[in-house]
Amino acid sequence: MDLTRLLDVYKPEDCKWPIHVIGCGAIGGRVALGLARMGNTGIHLWDFDKVGEENLCNQVFERCDCGVNKASAVGMIAEQFCDARSIIEH
């Protein structure tokens, strides 16, 4: 997914506050990945639920993520697109 066209509207370097994504399921997981792909840093992920098989059909996870905390799983996926130190799971 190429989100560079959005950089005309929003520039990550202009963001002066940390970004908090509360809930890393169907919507939050995609939001977090989109923000990471745009180059945002300091993204805080909040979700205390674990990935289950029921999440595989409509969320960003794969079978190997089952049993892992959703925030941690999204953080590991997002690290592919940005600096590993910029994702903080809670």
Side-chain angles (χ1 to χ4, degrees), residues 1-37:
M1 177 187 328
D2 182 17
L3 298 176
T4 54
R5 61 188 165 83
L6 297 176
L7 296 177
D8 291 339
V9 178
Y10 169 79
K11 295 184 179 14
E13 60 270 9
D14 292 342
C15 185
K16 295 174 180 40
W17 303 282
I19 298 169
H20 293 265
V21 178
I22 301 171
C24 295
I27 296 172
R30 293 189 196 320
V31 167
L33 294 180
L35 290 168
R37 286 182 173 130

